[in-house]
Amino acid sequence: MQKRDDGHDTPATDPMQPRLLALLEELIQETHPDRCNGVPVRLNSRLDRDLGLDSLARSELLLRIEQAFGVRLPESALLADTPAALLQLLQSRSATKQQPGKPRATVSPSAPEATHGSFGPATGAPTEATTLNAVMDWHLQRHPDRPHLYLYGEEDDPQILSYGELELGARRVAAALELRGTRHGDRIALMLPTSRDYFVAFFGVLRAGAVPVPIYPPARPAQLEEHLRRHGRILDSAGAGLLITVAEASSVAHLLHAEAPQLRHIVTLAELDEQPSSAPPHPPEASSLALLQYTSGSTGDPKGVQLSHAQLLANIRAMGERLEATPDDVFVSWLPLYHDMGLIAAWLASLYYAIPLVVMSPLAFLSRPLRWLELIDRHRGTISGAPNFGYELCLRAIPPERIQGMDLSCWRVAFNGAEPVSASTMEHFTKLLAPAGLRRDALMPVYGLAEAAVGLCVARPGRGVVVDSVNRDRFAASGEARPEYDPAAAQGFVNCGPPLPGYALRIVDDQGHTLAERQEGDIEFQGPSATDGYFDNHEECEKLRHGDWLRTGDRGYLANGDLHVSGRRKDVLVRGGRNIYPYDIEAAVGRLEGIRKGCVAVFGSHDQATGVESLIVVAETHVEDPAQRRELHGAIADTVVAIVNVPADDIRLVPPHSVLKTSSGKIRRAATRDFYQQGRLGERAPPVWRQVAGLTLRSWCRRLRLGLAEACNWAYYAYAWSLFGLGIGLLALVGLPLPRLAWRWRAAHIITRALMPLAGIRLHVHGREHLPGKRPCVLVTNHASYLDVLVLTAALPCTMRYLAKEELEHRTATRLPLTRMGALFVERFDPRQAERDMQQVEQAVAAGDTLAIFPEGTFHPEPGLDDFHMGAFLTAAHAGVPVVPVAIDGTRRLLRGREWRPHPGRVAIHLGSLLQPEGSDWNAALRLKNDAYDFILRHCGEDRRRRG
């Protein structure tokens, strides 16, 4: 026998050890070809600190080990710290010689195949529910035995949890919490891995009327102590009095009291097991706090996003409407449950729509990405997704031959969000899985943030990945996203889709002024799930709000109403789908002996080709001895891993004054990153006076550019309104005095048609041939802006009589021009007068007049097609004349809401085929209304407006 490097005995002739170390050497040479720290690969080498292997590289290593040795390693192999630990697992598994086999062999054929249909189909949705508790009650009344969760662990067969079983476990937890003094609104922290315990504990907290606070669990038991120390600040911020966690945490519970003195209990789920009472305790209200979502990795200054039951349900319903979710869908997820995408988008949305949720842990995905695809195939998954790194990991870890025999044609929504989306990654992923039936149009970039619950911008299914190519130099110089068709001069931005129904976006400059389309700025949003702020953090709440809008911290631009994200204003890094904040790392590295305190910069360097963001540490030091620098390099690597559980991709030791700072001493991370990417780290910084002068000059130049842009905007406002005023004057002098209504409309058409290009409005009309000529009809169109009448008049060369609200008849400025243009005034509030007015409208149609009606009645600042009133369609049915549906797309972007600041741009008008009434009764009018609404909804560029 011989001694291993870690002190354990291993047979001297064991052939596995050299083969394993050779695999490691090969992988390290591929991932770090310039590795120069001189550390050989030994059995006791640390995979992260010494060898620089992150979770993605370790996933690749496990795949190669399984293929080389013909065994299947457990998920826990991803947590192995050293080659010795891997060798021990390899030796134990090699005794059984489990072959990895074909792709579907990892899932037992005897396990239930999508058994969610065995208990009958679910119908409808809990649209009247106002809380998550009420949603669960709705399902329990209709299908308590319907499988809700398929939980995959180490075994090939899932653990199935029905609605009734989840409720029973939750009620027992709620009763136990009540016995421990939990009151309505108390915050209960959850630090649990993906398992049955998590789901039961989460809903048990809700049943107790308390507020769950998810915290990500430790990746390795050996790091539990440091993990709890760093999360004490989150527990303190939330004011959590109880923590539900794993059994291993009880031995170090005392460490939390210094950071979170109000924490009274640390318990496991097994300890929360009481017989539930018949009545549920403390039912919450719609406005009650349902969740505190702490931004992942935020330990220095934790911010807990407050989300009520109403806000969560509003976002879930909006996402479900956009994705056309039904109980026939199947959601497959490995996303972390402490993150909003895994918790809300995957689980709570599936709970609401009675969608079976197939769950595997993030660790299982990282150790074997192929299993994600296998479960989609096996359960006929229709919805699933990942951050960009998840798709990239599949490309790196799954060879094409491993997908043979798979059928992924069922996958209709493959969303990509939570970190920057790489079009290249999506393209390669499509090519990899095309032989398995994955459709290109299933891929869906999305955008969201915890402050909106989770989802904010989602496209309709079936669009695929759309990339907007803009001129690179123009975008860098002025922020203008001008389309560019020359690939050599173009920069691409992925289209993240339009806002969800009921939500609105705007792009603003540094002064908070709204920018026009295709102009980059800060992204702000409004919507029914917008958070009320951060829990007990007034200062951060003030930073979040900008009037009635919320700041996202991201930058981007709008094009045709769709969002294109260009970057992040905040300094947070995204690594492996998790946010990492630089401040904790900088402070810890700065405390190391030999490092200049306050002279450390941590930032991300984004790889455009792969979409992966590297973690870079730049630290100043006076140390020049090579051996001491290697020791310092290793100490920094240890510190980074201890804080964020992932290794740094690159550590640079640089001379003093290499890390760039502001004049007030703050680290300039973005500027240091630019120097790093340009290979200029270590350059001697210019004198302070030159830095100050340069900053001052750039500041004044930027102010000048912004001032010129603002001046140009105001110049256009003045110019546009002067044109409109000129048009009104010409119409009053030339058109209104004309004796015939048809002549007056012809004059109005000519004047407005001439004004459009002068005002920079590009008008495109489609389907003009559908107009019935001289025959009467009823034109119905959506109403989005004050510009609607202007563009309709310019687009349609026919005589029309608009319906106008009666208040305009009593105003001197509007009565004469509207009367001369043939407007019919109708009462909106007195039912008897409104009925008499509509009789006059019907008489006008019977006499041969063409009516133009906005059946929505009015318009709103935010996008969305409102429901239609029946008056226009009853008129058409009673008079026996056809309805012409007209969709206006673009006027809201040119003149939003009740603002008076117009913008140039494109407007499209689509005329539909004639809709002939099939009778004169209510049902005939209703069919006209539904057909017209469907046409306008398809062509107006907006979604159905949500009520309530």
Side-chain angles (χ1 to χ4, degrees), residues 538-769:
H538 178 73
E539 181 178 350
E540 291 298 328
C541 289
E542 290 297 314
K543 296 178 183 178
L544 175 67
R545 294 202 167 275
H546 183 190
D548 295 332
W549 296 80
L550 266 61
R551 299 181 172 96
T552 66
D554 294 323
R555 292 180 63 79
Y557 64 91
L558 294 171
N560 294 323
D562 291 352
L563 179 66
H564 302 73
V565 180
S566 59
R568 293 188 302 276
R569 177 176 285 275
K570 49 195 176 184
D571 288 322
V572 62
L573 289 76
V574 179
R575 179 67 182 272
R578 184 181 137 208
N579 295 338
I580 296 176
Y581 290 78
Y583 320 109
D584 296 337
I585 302 175
E586 289 170 349
V589 172
R591 288 193 291 268
L592 295 175
E593 186 175 353
I595 299 296
R596 299 187 70 213
K597 187 175 182 180
C599 299
V600 180
V602 174
F603 50 83
S605 181
H606 187 68
D607 187 334
Q608 293 290 346
T610 65
V612 175
E613 191 167 48
S614 300
L615 175 59
I616 312 299
V617 179
V618 177
E620 293 182 5
T621 179
H622 289 286
V623 175
E624 296 182 358
D625 179 74
Q628 293 180 350
R629 288 175 71 89
R630 282 198 297 270
E631 291 181 6
L632 201 53
H633 190 283
I636 294 175
D638 281 346
T639 301
V640 174
V641 171
I643 291 179
V644 294
N645 289 330
V646 295
D649 294 281
D650 194 7
I651 297 172
R652 296 292 181 91
L653 298 176
V654 295
H657 309 298
S658 297
V659 174
L660 304 180
K661 298 182 180 181
T662 66
S663 57
S664 60
K666 295 181 180 179
I667 301 295
R668 296 173 57 199
R669 298 182 186 87
T672 305
R673 178 181 60 233
D674 292 341
F675 269 46
Y676 168 83
Q677 294 173 339
Q678 296 164 12
R680 298 172 56 194
L681 281 179
E683 285 187 2
R684 186 172 182 83
V688 174
W689 70 267
R690 285 180 55 189
Q691 296 184 46
V692 173
L695 289 172
T696 303
L697 180 60
R698 285 193 292 272
S699 175
W700 277 107
C701 288
R702 180 170 178 78
R703 290 185 183 183
L704 180 60
R705 286 198 304 270
L706 292 173
L708 288 174
E710 186 70 7
C712 289
N713 287 337
W714 281 105
Y716 175 79
Y717 302 153
Y719 168 72
W721 283 116
S722 297
L723 281 178
F724 297 154
L726 176 63
I728 293 172
L730 285 174
L731 182 61
L733 292 174
V734 179
L736 294 185
L738 294 174
R740 294 185 182 180
L741 180 61
W743 294 356
R744 295 194 287 272
W745 268 104
R746 184 63 180 170
H749 172 70
I750 293 173
I751 293 172
T752 54
R753 188 78 179 178
L755 286 178
M756 293 294 106
L758 293 176
I761 298 175
R762 304 182 302 279
L763 186 61
H764 301 272
V765 184
H766 308 277
R768 195 183 280 121
E769 67 275 8

Side-chain angles (χ1 to χ4, degrees), residues 254-439:
H254 64 281
L255 297 174
L256 292 173
H257 293 299
E259 291 285 354
Q262 79 290 341
L263 187 65
R264 302 185 305 274
H265 307 288
I266 298 179
V267 299
T268 65
L269 193 73
E271 298 174 71
L272 299 176
D273 190 11
E274 296 290 340
Q275 189 64 32
S277 59
S278 57
H282 311 300
E285 299 178 353
S287 59
S288 299
L289 192 60
L291 173 67
L292 273 187
Q293 179 69 56
Y294 277 85
T295 51
S296 305
S298 175
T299 57
D301 183 22
K303 295 184 293 186
V305 178
Q306 301 179 101
L307 295 170
S308 69
H309 287 267
Q311 289 163 342
L312 286 174
L313 290 178
N315 199 239
I316 288 170
R317 286 166 175 152
M319 289 190 297
E321 179 182 335
R322 178 62 58 81
L323 295 179
E324 302 166 6
T326 73
D328 294 328
D329 281 306
V330 177
F331 204 127
V332 180
S333 176
W334 58 265
L335 300 169
L337 291 169
Y338 55 79
H339 191 277
D340 47 30
M341 195 159 72
L343 174 61
I344 304 171
W347 177 35
L348 296 181
S350 296
L351 178 84
Y352 179 89
Y353 286 102
I355 296 174
L357 178 62
V358 181
V359 185
M360 61 186 290
S361 73
L363 186 62
F365 169 74
L366 292 174
S367 62
R368 190 170 292 105
L370 181 66
R371 198 174 193 193
W372 177 37
L373 305 181
E374 290 172 344
L375 292 182
I376 294 175
D377 174 19
R378 175 183 177 181
H379 286 271
R380 312 311 298 150
T382 60
I383 304 176
S384 190
N388 196 81
F389 96 92
Y391 293 96
E392 188 68 29
L393 178 58
C394 288
L395 294 176
R396 293 171 54 178
I398 302 177
E401 60 270 17
R402 297 297 299 274
I403 65 171
Q404 293 179 3
M406 280 192 182
D407 179 11
L408 300 178
S409 60
C410 54
W411 197 357
R412 71 179 186 88
V413 174
F415 60 85
N416 183 335
E419 64 184 38
V421 179
S422 168
S424 174
T425 298
M426 293 285 89
E427 177 66 22
H428 292 140
F429 188 79
T430 303
K431 290 180 179 178
L432 173 68
L433 298 183
L438 178 65
R439 301 188 305 276

Side-chain angles (χ1 to χ4, degrees), residues 21 68 94 112 140 187 207 249 261 278 434 482 513 571 581 599 698 709 752 758 774 796 892 907 916:
L21 296 181
S94 64
L140 292 172
R187 277 76 60 201
R207 282 303 192 195
S278 57
R482 175 181 293 179
H513 300 141
D571 288 322
Y581 290 78
C599 299
R698 285 193 292 272
T752 54
L758 293 176
K774 296 182 179 181
L796 305 181
R892 195 188 306 274
V907 175
Q916 297 288 350

